[in-house]
Amino acid sequence: MADQATLDLIQAYITENSVVLYMKGTAEMPQCGFSSIVVQLLTELEVPFKIVNVLNDPNIRNGIKKFSNWPTIPQLYIMGEFVGGCDIVKEMYQNGELQALLKSKQILAA
Amino acid sequence: MAITASEIKKFIQAAIPDATLTIEDLAGDGDHYAVHVISPAFASKSRIQQHQMVYEALGGRVGEQLHALSIKTSVPPVTPSLTIVESES
């Protein structure tokens, strides 16, 4: 089970960074197809983002699932808000919702 | 630890009884599925909440017993007869 210190750390990280992707592997070398897809989409949109490689820390890997009440990874946070996993991010990208969200948060130029 | 498509279907339909769903075994290994769940229960819920309902229906199996489940959720279209507003000319 995730301890409070881990949950606090997750909260601090998503508060301090506009776009955070919890993923398996790194942006350069994703270790899972779902993580890879989200990296590709963010890269294509030229969104600056921070990643957390959950494979480096079992506390974070389990903690993020509890934090978001979401059982799978990747998980995308924008301005401290949980956006979704791969399926949701992909669907939002395809219908333009993701771009609109990033513009409304002034992460992308309108 | 594989799970069959019909088991997944059973779990989802038990939790969301009015759901219509299609399921596809992506890799044929009982571990990678894509499911499309359509239910009026999703109305007025955010997309995240809709997916959480599906995860909850599967009772913690996703991410553990079931490695990969791609989820798509939709609200069924409203029957046209309910939305037609008659206008008098």
Side-chain angles (χ1 to χ4, degrees), chain B residues 46-63:
Chain B
S46 72
R47 207 185 268 116
I48 289 173
Q49 290 169 330
Q50 295 174 8
H51 284 224
Q52 278 167 338
M53 284 171 70
V54 177
Y55 285 137
E56 275 162 26
L58 291 162
R61 285 171 187 85
V62 180

Side-chain angles (χ1 to χ4, degrees), chain B residues 34-76:
Chain B
V35 66
H36 184 189
V37 187
I38 304 167
S39 168
F42 294 145
S44 80
K45 294 219 157 43
S46 72
R47 207 185 268 116
I48 289 173
Q49 290 169 330
Q50 295 174 8
H51 284 224
Q52 278 167 338
M53 284 171 70
V54 177
Y55 285 137
E56 275 162 26
L58 291 162
R61 285 171 187 85
V62 180
E64 304 291 335
Q65 204 175 335
L66 185 58
H67 169 67
L69 177 70
S70 175
I71 298 174
K72 185 177 163 66
T73 51
S74 320
V75 178

